[in-house]
Amino acid sequence: MKKKLIIDADTGVDDAQAIMVALAAPDVEILGITCCHGNTPLENVLKNTLRVLKVCNRLDIPVYRGCSKPLLARKQHAGDYHGKDGLGDVPDPDAPGLELLQKKKAAQAMIKIVKQNPGEVTLVAMAPLTNLAVAVQLDPSFPEKLKALYIMGGNTDSRGNTTMCGEFNFVADPEAAFVVLDRYTCPTHIATWEFSCRNSLPWCFCDQWLGEKTEKAAFMKKISRLSMTKAQSADYKKEITEGGGFNSCDTYAMVAAIADKFITEDEEVAVTVELEGAYTRGMMVLDYMQQLDKKHKASIMKKVDMEKFKQMLVNSLK
């Protein structure tokens, strides 16, 4: 049986990489891609998602319009890293039009798809968690019908990439992250910011990976140029990533969801999100002292099979 996925994305460069990895996996069926504000405004996210599907000849996959702003927080984007359009500011004049979008909205689509496939769908969340928070508000039983939830977001060591202590996806909608970590009691796996930095891709691999003579590789090389240049800058390496290489954040959550034995070390702990701190709003909190009294614990990824990760990235551009 194929692994059934819903992908929730704010399609920037790493989302595109993650989606292409899933599309290339022979044992994966993508039931839908729901779009959310995040790396770039929602209209760009929708266009970018369709661009990725087009280059992979998979415009048959349904794409849904989701939330354009956070529940309560101020809207913010990551244009300095992903480009103002979210895909490296290299527009495609022949990009698919938004008339290809489904009529149903993202949260309603999630609920319907999972209701039709109870216990079979894995939700891979690579954006601010607004769509997921809305879905559980509309249907409180939605999380228990999921097979699993994989999240790229949050942090473990108070090391931020947007605020001093906050990772972008959680900071972009802290209330949504709080709701999801509180109410989604299905098996939950989290690829945090520091984890992805510590498992970053060597630059020599990136040169080889993007050097393939295929249409997909040419597309990926073009959209990745801006973010890779940014990631290689001295200030960025020092302040943000620990300087280890290229960090395709969302792809870690995706590969964990679809590749058996990819995660070689993890840790189970109850988690929540700080909503009120002057410096720590949006920071993920790990409850080692068990003061939250939560029965549900999330699995926090620690180490991965890097060779498997590289191979799946290579396969995605063939």
Side-chain angles (χ1 to χ4, degrees), residues 268-272 285-288 292 294-298:
E268 290 201 348
V269 60
V271 292
T272 188
V285 178
L286 283 69
D287 181 25
Y288 290 115
L292 294 173
K294 273 191 178 185
K295 292 181 180 178
H296 177 62
K297 292 178 168 56

Side-chain angles (χ1 to χ4, degrees), residues 8 42 79 91 106-107 120-121 149 183-184 200 215 247 274 284:
D8 189 65
L42 181 62
E120 297 180 5
V121 178
L149 170 62
R183 298 182 63 183
Y184 279 65
S200 57
E215 182 182 353
N247 183 353
E274 174 59 48
M284 188 168 79

Side-chain angles (χ1 to χ4, degrees), residues 17-248:
Q17 290 161 351
I19 291 168
M20 290 174 76
V21 164
L23 290 170
D27 61 341
V28 169
E29 180 183 4
I30 301 174
L31 301 180
I33 301 177
T34 53
C35 295
C36 184
H37 70 93
N39 286 325
T40 188
L42 181 62
E43 294 302 305
N44 291 340
V45 173
L46 297 164
K47 294 172 187 174
N48 295 349
T49 303
L50 293 171
R51 280 183 68 186
V52 174
L53 293 178
K54 179 191 173 188
V55 80
C56 296
N57 295 313
R58 290 304 310 271
L59 283 169
D60 58 296
I61 293 174
V63 178
Y64 301 91
R65 179 187 293 272
C67 297
S68 62
K69 60 184 180 180
L71 297 180
L72 293 174
R74 293 178 181 173
K75 196 186 301 186
Q76 56 184 301
H77 304 298
D80 60 330
Y81 186 79
H82 292 274
K84 288 184 172 57
D85 70 354
L87 281 190
D89 293 329
V90 282
D92 176 6
D94 299 316
L98 297 186
E99 70 276 1
L100 296 178
L101 296 174
Q102 301 297 307
K103 303 301 181 194
K104 191 177 289 292
K105 294 296 173 61
Q108 289 91 337
M110 285 181 181
I111 292 166
K112 181 178 180 180
I113 292 168
V114 171
K115 187 176 181 180
Q116 292 171 339
N117 301 272
E120 297 180 5
V121 178
T122 295
L123 175 52
V124 183
M126 309 187 300
L129 296 172
T130 317
N131 287 338
L132 279 70
V134 171
V136 74
Q137 290 291 103
L138 293 174
D139 180 1
S141 70
F142 171 67
E144 66 193 44
K145 299 187 184 85
L146 287 169
K147 180 179 180 180
L149 170 62
Y150 285 78
I151 297 171
M152 190 284 132
N155 50 359
T156 52
D157 303 339
S158 309
R159 183 166 189 157
N161 62 8
T162 303
T163 60
M164 282 187 286
C165 297
E167 176 277 332
F168 177 81
N169 282 343
F170 279 25
V171 169
D173 196 340
E175 281 74 20
F178 180 91
V179 167
V180 170
L181 295 184
D182 188 56
R183 298 182 63 183
Y184 279 65
T185 54
C186 56
T188 303
H189 308 264
I190 304 178
T192 66
W193 170 245
E194 297 98 331
F195 153 80
S196 63
C197 290
R198 289 171 187 146
N199 291 277
S200 57
L201 293 159
W203 291 111
C204 58
F205 166 77
C206 294
D207 293 339
Q208 169 199 342
W209 171 49
L210 298 177
E212 296 292 321
K213 304 300 181 186
T214 67
E215 182 182 353
K216 293 178 186 177
F219 171 75
M220 186 55 65
K221 185 174 184 178
K222 183 169 61 174
I223 67 169
S224 301
R225 187 175 292 117
L226 179 67
S227 54
M228 286 193 171
T229 300
K230 177 75 173 177
Q232 285 178 301
S233 70
D235 288 346
Y236 189 85
K237 285 193 290 185
K238 180 180 177 182
E239 295 172 11
I240 306 292
T241 68
E242 303 180 16
F246 183 68
N247 183 353
S248 184

